[in-house]
Amino acid sequence: MKKILLATLFALLPLTSGAVDLPAYPFIHVNGYGAAVVIPDIGTVEFEIAAQDGDPAVALATVQARIDDIRAVMQQLGVAEADLEMRDIRRDIRRDIQKTDQPGAPLYELRCSVKLTVRNLSNWKMLVQPLLDKPNLDGFMTGFDSSEREKIEIGLMGDAIRMARRKAEGVAAGLGRKLGAVSAVSTGELKNLTRAMNLSPSEFNNYRGNQERRAPADRAELVTVTSLKLQQPVDVIFRIQ
């Protein structure tokens, strides 16, 4: 069995090296990942202020009133003004929605995007819950992060490389060979090599997690601080002695 595996491994090299620049020496290609569940210490909540009226000045006054409400909640909880980000107000004419008392009259819609950064998550629910109760606010999205993310990810990188080495040592032992030095490492999939080895994206072990767009969160989810699931993948090429 070992002879068959070795023969297959060496046979692959000349066949594929013409298509891509694969190593000219016997090698083992493995992947690994590090993962951790982290308690966040920073949160962000994003939403839009939206107001409609036949008079744009009235709609603008409504938007400004909601901005004043947001600042009032921030001041009560000691959230710094610098942690409030707002984009310019956008104005659209909604001809698909008309005022019933003025048929044919345009309806003006004003929208303003808002982002709040919360650096004391003990205040999270007390900040988000009042915002959810305010009129003219919609499209809520929340996110969390850690101020130690870079340090954590460096640690996960070490875990991922150690996992890759254990895998490679197991393969080498199965072939009756010894693992050599690292020849290449990538913080993710080595795409050309993966394709050359006939691994489609669906077959490749993807440790980046599901990147599909999430469904809108409900109220209970929005007011809850959730933990972070951090992952760090690596691809490594080892020489075979």
Side-chain angles (χ1 to χ4, degrees):
M1 179 61 70
K2 292 180 180 178
K3 291 181 180 179
I4 294 174
L5 288 173
L6 281 171
T8 302
L9 176 64
F10 291 123
L12 283 173
L13 295 178
L15 292 175
T16 56
S17 59
V20 294
D21 295 330
L22 295 180
Y25 48 80
F27 67 90
I28 295 175
H29 168 221
V30 292
N31 53 58
Y33 75 100
V37 177
V38 179
I39 302 301
D41 57 7
I42 301 173
T44 58
V45 54
E46 299 181 58
F47 54 91
E48 283 195 327
I49 305 172
Q52 297 177 351
D53 199 273
D55 185 344
V58 174
L60 180 60
T62 301
V63 171
Q64 188 59 57
R66 296 293 82 78
I67 293 174
D68 293 341
D69 291 342
I70 294 166
R71 286 198 166 102
V73 175
M74 292 172 56
Q75 290 173 3
Q76 291 174 2
L77 299 174
V79 179
E81 180 70 22
D83 289 330
L84 172 64
E85 300 178 38
M86 292 186 295
R87 293 184 180 177
D88 292 338
I89 297 175
R90 308 183 303 278
R91 187 177 76 171
D92 295 316
I93 299 177
R94 298 293 303 273
R95 298 192 181 279
D96 55 323
I97 304 176
Q98 298 180 352
K99 291 175 66 65
T100 56
D101 58 341
Q102 299 178 23
L107 187 69
Y108 295 92
E109 180 179 74
L110 274 63
R111 286 188 171 269
C112 177
S113 298
V114 179
K115 178 180 179 180
L116 272 173
T117 300
V118 183
R119 305 184 190 279
N120 180 1
L121 292 183
S122 63
N123 291 331
W124 179 258
K125 185 174 182 178
M126 291 182 288
L127 174 71
V128 176
Q129 193 160 267
L131 296 178
L132 294 174
D133 295 330
K134 298 290 183 185
N136 307 109
L137 305 186
D138 61 18
F140 282 88
M141 294 179 61
T142 60
F144 298 96
D145 203 352
S146 170
S147 57
E148 298 290 319
R149 175 183 283 269
E150 183 176 353
K151 179 181 177 180
I152 294 169
E153 288 181 341
I154 290 174
L156 294 180
M157 183 76 68
D159 294 342
I161 291 174
R162 285 187 285 273
M163 175 187 283
R165 176 172 287 278
R166 289 194 298 270
K167 286 185 177 181
E169 287 172 344
V171 174
L175 296 173
R177 306 292 293 271
K178 290 184 178 181
L179 195 65
V182 173
S183 295
V185 61
S186 168
T187 57
E189 177 188 353
L190 293 173
K191 294 182 179 179
N192 291 338
L193 180 60
T194 301
R195 294 188 183 118
M197 301 299 286
N198 296 319
L199 295 177
S200 67
S202 61
E203 294 169 334
F204 186 81
N205 291 329
N206 185 359
Y207 296 109
R208 294 173 180 81
N210 191 349
Q211 299 295 325
E212 294 181 0
R213 187 179 182 88
R214 295 180 58 194
D218 59 22
R219 185 185 183 93
E221 185 178 350
L222 289 169
V223 299
T224 302
V225 176
T226 57
S227 59
L228 300 172
K229 296 180 181 180
L230 301 182
Q231 297 181 328
Q232 177 59 61
V234 295
D235 256 17
V236 188
I237 295 176
F238 291 92
R239 288 176 179 267
I240 302 175
Q241 293 182 353

